[in-house]
Amino acid sequence: MRRIVLLLLATVLAIGNFAALMSVVPLWVASGGASNAWVGATTGVMLGGTVAAQLCMVWILRVWSLQRVFAVGTLVLGVATPAYLLTSAVGPVMAISALRGAGFALVVVAGVALAAELAPPGRVGTATGMYGAAAGLPNVVVLPAGVWLSQTWGFSPVFLGAALLALLGVPLAMLLPATDHAGRSRPSVRGMSRGSVVALVTFFVTTASLGTVLTFLPLSATEADRASAALLVLSVAMVLARIVAGSVADRYGPGRLVVPAAMCCAVGFVVLALDPALDGWLVLAGAAVLGAGFGLAQNDSFLVVLRSLGARRSGSASTVWNIAYDGGMGLGPVVVGAGLALTGYAGAFAALTALLTLAAVVALLVGGRSMGTDDISPAS
C-alpha cells in the first residue's frame, strides 16, 4: 500500500505541472499576439513531443526501470517550465513545450504501467482508477487555478509554481520501487485484439475533443470566472468517472463503457453549442457531461488494451494507450484552431459532436462485444 501511495503522490505533483499550464500556455502566446492557429499549435507541439518520446519507449524501457523513467520525466518537467518566462514568442514557446511534452510522456507511460504492476490480484481496474483519480486531481484544482491566477496575478507565479510542483515530485519518484519486469521486454502491439484497436481509435477521438476544450475554452468564454468554473466542473467529473469506470471494469470486465463514453462526450458538445458565447450556465452543464465521458473513456480503454496484450506487457499497453491519448490531445486543437475562422466556436463544437457520434457508431458496429472480456484472449 505504501508503494501505491508514493506513486499517487508523485503523480499528483508531476501531472500538476502539466495541468497548471495546459490552458495557460495558449493564453501566454495569445498575449503576445499569436493567432488562433498558433495558439492551437502550442498544444499540438507539446503533445507532439509527448508522442515522439512515447515512440522511443521501445528503447527506453529496455534499459531503464519504470521508476527511473518516471523520475527523469518529472525532473524534465520541473527544469523546463521556468524557461517560459523568457519570452512569449511562438518559436521558443514551441521548443519549451516540446521538451515538456517529452518529460510528460515518460511520466504517464511509467505511471499507469506502475499502477498496473503494483495492483493487488484482481484489482487492476481499481488500481488504475485510483491512479487516474490522482492524475486527474490536478485538473480539479490546478488547471482552473492556473487560468485564474494568470489572468489575475500574471503568468510568472503560475510558471514558477508549476516548476516547483514537479521538482517536489522528483524525490518521491526516486522512492518508488524499481519494478521493471514489464520494461525488460520489448514494447510491442503484436497480439492486440480487434476490440482493443477499436477502443483505442474511439478513445483517440474523445481525447482530440478534450484537447480542443482545454485549449480554447479559456479563450472563447467571455467571462474568465466562468471558464475557470467550467474547467473545474469538467475535471471533477473526469476524476469521479475514472473511479467509477475502474470499479465497473473489475466487476463486469473492461470494454463496456467505451461507446457510452463517446456518446456522453457528444452530448456535452451539443450542450456547449447551445451557448456559443460560453457565458451562461449551460457551459457548466456541458463541461460536466464532457468530463464524465472523458473519465469513462480513459480508464475503460486502457483496461481493454491491457487485457488484450496481457498483464506482463503493461509497459506496451501503457505506451500504445498514451500515444492514442496524447496524439488526440495534440491533434484536436491544431485542426480546430486552423478552422475556427470559418466555423466559429459553435460550428467547431457541432463538428466535434458529429465526429464523436460517428466514432461511437463505428465502434459499436465494428467492435461490438469484442471490446468486452468475453471475447478477448489475453496475450501471454
Side-chain angles (χ1 to χ4, degrees), residues 17 75 94 146 214 221 232 248 273 329 339:
N17 172 282
L75 181 62
M94 295 287 195
L214 296 183
L232 174 62
V248 170
M329 285 270 287

Side-chain angles (χ1 to χ4, degrees), residues 303-326:
L303 292 172
V304 170
V305 176
L306 182 64
R307 171 92 180 172
S308 177
L309 290 178
R312 291 187 61 83
R313 294 168 66 189
S314 59
S316 299
S318 178
T319 298
V320 297
W321 180 81
N322 274 291
I323 288 173
Y325 189 171
D326 300 315

Side-chain angles (χ1 to χ4, degrees), residues 79-98:
V79 170
T81 297
Y84 283 122
L85 291 171
L86 299 177
T87 178
S88 61
V90 170
V93 167
M94 295 287 195
I96 299 164
S97 296

